[in-house]
Amino acid sequence: MARDRVLVILTIVICFLSFGNGAVFIVIVLVTTTPLSSGGLGMSEQDLGIVFVTFGIGACIFQLTSYRKMVTKFGMYTTFYIGSTSMAVALFLMYFASPVSVALPIQVNESSVPQMLSAASNQAKVYAWVMIMLATAFLCVAFMVVQPVVRALLSNAADKYHQVGTRAGDLSWF
């Protein structure tokens, strides 16, 4: 009975993590493509593509080079906490990526944005890109650690009959 409770809790955690992963990607899209006058970064679709390509390459490199070493050195639970903390840091950095809402502490309206950005346009763009790329680095760690660890914990908590398919990892979800 206690084993079933652990399985239910881990399944609920996986559901929340899947929902959270989708929400984080939506936040990235909203923050980067929202106009500067509304508090976003005003990036183009091409810039957003660069952010996602960077995320994909970084996540792949992290998964291939560091994930196994991290789990071996720290264990599953500590690795889960590292991934969760990385997600929190990434969201914190995304919040501070907007140069209008953080670096320029004045009231923003439609007529003042072009004047503010003409004076600090290059600095604001560099600041935004640095913050987005830092957030992307933390997201690579978070996404490539949290889901696999929770799925491994779920697989280990299940009895042998229910483990069929979960050991295959992501392929079993298709």
Side-chain angles (χ1 to χ4, degrees), residues 55-96:
F55 169 79
I57 292 170
C60 182
I61 290 170
F62 176 81
Q63 184 76 8
L64 293 174
T65 62
S66 302
Y67 174 74
R68 183 175 180 175
K69 293 175 187 175
M70 183 181 281
V71 171
T72 302
K73 183 174 183 176
F74 299 115
M76 289 286 205
Y77 292 108
T78 304
T79 303
F80 176 80
Y81 292 129
I82 290 170
S84 300
T85 304
S86 295
M87 180 69 75
V89 170
L91 293 175
F92 182 77
L93 291 171
M94 288 294 292
Y95 175 77
F96 285 108

Side-chain angles (χ1 to χ4, degrees), residues 7-53:
L7 290 174
V8 169
I9 291 170
L10 287 171
T11 303
I12 291 170
V13 168
I14 286 177
C15 292
F16 278 113
L17 288 173
S18 297
F19 177 77
N21 289 348
V24 167
F25 282 126
I26 295 299
V27 166
I28 291 172
V29 171
L30 289 175
V31 167
T32 56
T33 59
T34 301
L36 288 168
S37 60
S38 298
L41 298 176
M43 293 182 173
S44 67
E45 289 82 9
Q46 291 81 13
D47 294 340
L48 181 60
I50 291 170
V51 171
F52 280 125
V53 166

